[in-house]
Amino acid sequence: MLLIYNNPAAIEAMPESERAQIFADVDAIMAELTESGELVGGEALAPGEQARTVRVREGVPAVTDGPFAEAKEELAGYLTVDCESVERAVEIAARWPDAKRWAMEVRPVMTPDAGAEM
């Protein structure tokens, strides 16, 4: 799974042409992954201010607005890919526009039959 991190305020502040280029780059990568059969799925996530963090301490749930971490970067979405190797997953993540400005995280999805190997 490729976890996409970015800063919504920074994206909002970009010139329209720069935002359009980011979306064009994403569209190109998605088309390539679809054609190669590597794309399993993915979704964008709602903005962090719509998130709720839930913690249970001594049996009492506490719900706070927003994501868990107090940071300008937030988890913005995910992409599930089926690759031959971790190196290929890293190659895809490195091409994603958010990796150039913020971060991409490559993490295996644990399944009962595959375990946590990459």
Side-chain angles (χ1 to χ4, degrees):
M1 180 165 290
L2 309 181
L3 302 174
I4 304 162
Y5 292 88
N6 64 33
N7 180 328
I11 292 171
E12 188 66 30
M14 286 179 186
E16 179 57 37
S17 61
E18 194 172 343
R19 277 197 308 268
Q21 185 60 56
I22 288 172
F23 290 118
D25 292 346
V26 166
D27 288 345
I29 296 168
M30 294 292 282
E32 175 191 311
L33 295 174
T34 299
E35 186 176 321
S36 71
E38 294 172 299
L39 179 66
V40 176
E43 296 292 338
L45 299 176
E49 54 268 3
Q50 293 182 31
R52 303 295 178 271
T53 299
V54 180
R55 296 177 185 85
V56 177
R57 301 296 183 264
E58 298 180 18
V60 179
V63 180
T64 56
D65 292 343
F68 177 75
E70 293 296 326
K72 292 181 181 177
E73 289 181 7
E74 61 183 54
L75 180 61
Y78 66 92
L79 188 66
T80 305
V81 293
D82 185 8
C83 301
E84 291 291 324
S85 66
V86 66
E87 290 80 17
R88 174 63 179 145
V90 168
E91 176 187 316
I92 295 165
R95 291 181 51 216
W96 203 263
D98 299 81
K100 295 175 181 84
R101 295 170 176 83
W102 301 287
M104 294 286 291
E105 183 177 341
V106 177
R107 188 182 294 193
V109 175
M110 295 177 60
T111 62
D113 57 325
E117 308 88 34
M118 282 222 290

